[in-house]
Amino acid sequence: MSTSIENSNLEGEPFNDSESESEATNLPSFDIGLSIGGDSDSSFRTENDPNAPYQRSNYIERKGAVDIRCSCKDVIHGSFSSEGDTFATLIVLEFRFDARKRARRFHSADISLEFSAIEKGDSAPEVFGIAPNGKFSLAPTTQHEETTRGINGEIGAGFGGPEVKGGVSWEKTVSRDTKDKTTIIGSIDLKGRNWGKPNCASWTLMENETTKEGVPPFLRTAILLKRKDENPFQCVVKIDASVNFDLKSKLERVFGGKGRVPKDDPVLFDPELEPTNVLQKYDVEELGALDLESLCDVTFETILGGAIKQK
């Protein structure tokens, strides 16, 4: 996994929606517009094209004080191994968390992708591998702190005469170095049932509490699924985020569908579709041998070089 560690009140503003079609690739994308607490009047819906419902390429952009976007970079259907009869699917996703106003930042974000069969009775895909998987620390910082504590005591004397008081004070200084970091946690989960193989890929992003610079604005992840058959399947994408309002030190929860069935259409996958091969050309007969870590990426900030020019 490559990382770039250069450092980089949600308002009720109207969201601007626009639609775009891509003829070059059939890649699904999901956008979740944000508002405080996920108001019932907020619009989060991303729909499948009725004429081409599988692995949709159309997308919706909803922009406000903060934006979230999830787009699919690659979808590859094939075999887990050329020596077996297990099918597999590779999905590479890119997430963006952008605060469009200086007083806002993403304090944390929770991502989940739950896979299931479309038709009742069909086998659901198994989430076999993800990247990043486990707990990762980025951009660690160390801060030196000193704490001084004082204790005051008084000694008084006055038996019918002038009262004399004396002050005695003690001070204790404690020095320590505190360490903090940005954290990314990835896990393979069983969701919606308590039996069977794992069916959910999850990631959590948490900001460095010391620097308070928000979560990384760019995250690329990879998911490897095992399948028993070539039947179509679906995925429900959920993103739940906390946004901090620096001006008032206020923390609000923003999300797309928390606590209820998401309004977004499930993303539909058809194993009969051709591989996209955007990032690279994949061996569709040996998807199980693929190094998932080589596909994932985290970026805090991209600095554009050569921006100062002279004539």
Side-chain angles (χ1 to χ4, degrees), residues 263-296:
K263 295 180 180 179
D264 300 275
D265 284 356
V267 180
L268 308 180
F269 295 92
D270 182 0
E272 297 296 329
L273 293 179
E274 293 295 319
T276 54
N277 293 329
V278 173
L279 292 176
Q280 64 183 59
K281 184 173 177 58
Y282 303 87
D283 184 354
V284 296
E285 297 298 324
E286 294 287 347
L287 290 179
L290 186 64
D291 179 13
L292 298 182
E293 291 288 343
S294 66
L295 298 173
C296 65

Side-chain angles (χ1 to χ4, degrees), residues 111-280:
I111 302 165
S112 70
L113 295 98
E114 182 179 350
F115 295 87
S116 62
I118 296 177
E119 299 295 334
K120 186 176 181 181
D122 286 351
S123 298
E126 171 195 350
V127 178
F128 178 79
I130 67 170
N133 188 9
K135 186 175 182 179
F136 296 86
S137 299
L138 297 88
T141 59
T142 302
Q143 179 173 292
H144 183 73
E145 296 181 352
E146 289 190 358
T147 304
T148 301
R149 297 178 180 177
I151 303 175
N152 291 318
E154 291 187 346
I155 301 175
F159 296 95
E163 188 175 20
V164 179
K165 292 186 177 181
V168 181
S169 65
W170 296 268
E171 288 188 349
K172 181 179 181 180
T173 300
V174 178
S175 299
R176 66 174 182 173
D177 291 330
T178 59
K179 296 182 179 181
D180 207 345
K181 69 274 184 185
T182 301
T183 303
I184 297 178
I185 301 173
S187 64
I188 299 174
D189 309 313
L190 185 64
K191 191 172 182 179
R193 63 173 190 256
N194 56 6
W195 50 268
K197 299 290 187 179
N199 63 339
C200 183
S202 302
W203 288 277
T204 295
L205 292 78
M206 295 179 287
E207 75 168 346
N208 185 317
E209 293 286 355
T210 301
T211 60
K212 299 186 184 303
E213 294 182 337
V215 303
F218 175 82
L219 171 67
R220 182 193 294 157
T221 67
I223 304 171
L224 182 62
L225 304 176
K226 275 186 174 182
R227 298 181 287 106
K228 294 182 179 180
D229 51 45
E230 291 278 64
N231 294 329
F233 59 94
Q234 63 184 359
C235 175
V236 173
V237 182
K238 296 181 182 179
I239 302 177
D240 182 20
S242 290
V243 174
N244 192 286
F245 302 79
D246 288 340
L247 290 179
K248 298 180 180 179
S249 297
K250 186 179 180 183
L251 189 67
E252 287 286 354
R253 205 73 184 164
V254 293
F255 50 82
K258 182 184 178 184
R260 61 184 185 276
V261 176
K263 295 180 180 179
D264 300 275
D265 284 356
V267 180
L268 308 180
F269 295 92
D270 182 0
E272 297 296 329
L273 293 179
E274 293 295 319
T276 54
N277 293 329
V278 173
L279 292 176
Q280 64 183 59

Side-chain angles (χ1 to χ4, degrees), residues 95-114:
F95 298 88
R96 290 206 60 91
F97 302 92
D98 296 310
R100 294 183 175 269
K101 297 203 173 194
R102 292 185 182 275
R104 281 74 165 173
R105 73 178 191 275
F106 283 92
H107 178 263
S108 65
D110 294 302
I111 302 165
S112 70
L113 295 98
E114 182 179 350

Side-chain angles (χ1 to χ4, degrees), residues 49-64:
D49 184 349
N51 297 317
Y54 290 100
Q55 298 177 196
R56 61 185 183 236
S57 59
N58 65 304
Y59 62 94
I60 300 173
E61 291 185 358
R62 299 179 177 94
K63 301 182 184 301

